C-alpha cells in the first residue's frame, strides 16, 4: 500500500503510495531511462552460481551494458527511476529488500514484476526472479531474454 526508502548517504527520501505516485524528497517523480544504447542493466550476481552468472552474461551482454547491483537492493530502485540504470534483475525477492522499491518504481511509471509478468507479492518471497525496469517497454524486452537458471 505504501513504502519508503531512505538513503542517508545521499540524504534522499523516496516514497510511494499505491495510486498516488512516487516521490523523491517530496517532489513527484516519473521514471526515465538512461537514454543509452544498449540499455544499462544491473544484475544481482551475489546469489548466482558461476555457471548461472556465465549463462546470464552470455545471454544478456550482446543486448545490454551490464553493471553490478549495489549491495543494497533498496538502492537499486531509485536508480531505475532516476535514470542511472534502465533494467535490474533480482534473484532473491525478500519483502524487506523489495516491497517498497517495487511499489516506488511501479508508481513512477516503470515496471517491476516476475519474469512471467505476474506482480510482485510480499507473500511469495521465496519465489526467485524479478525484473525491474524504467519503462514497461524495457521490462518486456528483458522478460523475453530473461536468463532462467
Amino acid at each position: 500500500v505504501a513504502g519508503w526508502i531512505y538513503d542517508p548517504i545521499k540524504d534522499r527520501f523516496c516514497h510511494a503510495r499505491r495510486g498516488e505516485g512516487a516521490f523523491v524528497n517530496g517532489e513527484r517523480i516519473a521514471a526515465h531511462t538512461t537514454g543509452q544504447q544498449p540499455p544499462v542493466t544491473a544484475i544481482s550476481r551475489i546469489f548466482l552460481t558461476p555457471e548461472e552468472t556465465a549463462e546470464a552474461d552470455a545471454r544478456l551482454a550482446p543486448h545490454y551494458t551490464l553493471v553490478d547491483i549495489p549491495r543494497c537492493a533498496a538502492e537499486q530502485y531509485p536508480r531505475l527511476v532516476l535514470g542511472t540504470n534502465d533494467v535490474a534483475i533480482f534473484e532473491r525477492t525478500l519483502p524487506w529488500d523489495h516491497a517498497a522499491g517495487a511499489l516506488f518504481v511501479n508508481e513512477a511509471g516503470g515496471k517491476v514484476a516476475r519474469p512471467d509478468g505476474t506482480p510482485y507479492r510480499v507473500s511469495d518471497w521465496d519465489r526467485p526472479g524479478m525484473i525491474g525496469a524504467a519503462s514497461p517497454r524495457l521490462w518486456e524486452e528483458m522478460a523475453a531474454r530473461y536468463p532462467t537458471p
Side-chain angles (χ1 to χ4, degrees):
V1 173
W4 302 265
I5 301 169
Y6 178 65
D7 181 343
I9 295 170
K10 294 182 179 162
D11 194 28
R12 180 174 61 207
F13 181 67
C14 303
H15 74 280
R17 186 170 183 89
R18 182 169 292 133
E20 295 180 19
F23 300 83
V24 175
N25 293 335
E27 304 263 340
R28 188 181 194 92
I29 184 107
H32 60 278
T33 69
T34 65
Q36 294 183 35
Q37 285 301 322
V40 178
T41 298
I43 300 177
S44 177
R45 294 178 173 99
I46 295 169
F47 303 105
L48 296 178
T49 66
E51 295 79 19
E52 291 168 337
T53 296
E55 169 65 24
D57 289 352
R59 186 178 292 179
L60 299 176
H63 309 285
Y64 299 94
T65 299
L66 302 179
V67 298
D68 288 327
I69 278 181
R71 188 79 176 153
C72 174
E75 172 58 21
Q76 183 57 40
Y77 289 103
R79 289 176 183 216
L80 290 172
V81 171
L82 299 172
T84 304
N85 299 143
D86 295 302
V87 181
I89 298 174
F90 301 98
E91 285 307 307
R92 289 179 41 171
T93 59
L94 303 168
W96 48 86
D97 289 334
H98 299 281
L103 178 64
F104 178 70
V105 171
N106 287 333
E107 284 295 315
K111 182 173 180 175
V112 175
R114 298 293 183 176
D116 65 3
T118 57
Y120 173 67
R121 301 278 185 239
V122 296
S123 60
D124 66 356
W125 63 269
D126 57 345
R127 182 176 166 200
M130 191 157 57
I131 300 169
S135 73
R137 178 187 59 79
L138 286 167
W139 188 95
E140 293 291 335
E141 289 171 4
M142 177 55 75
R145 292 187 174 99
Y146 184 76
T148 53

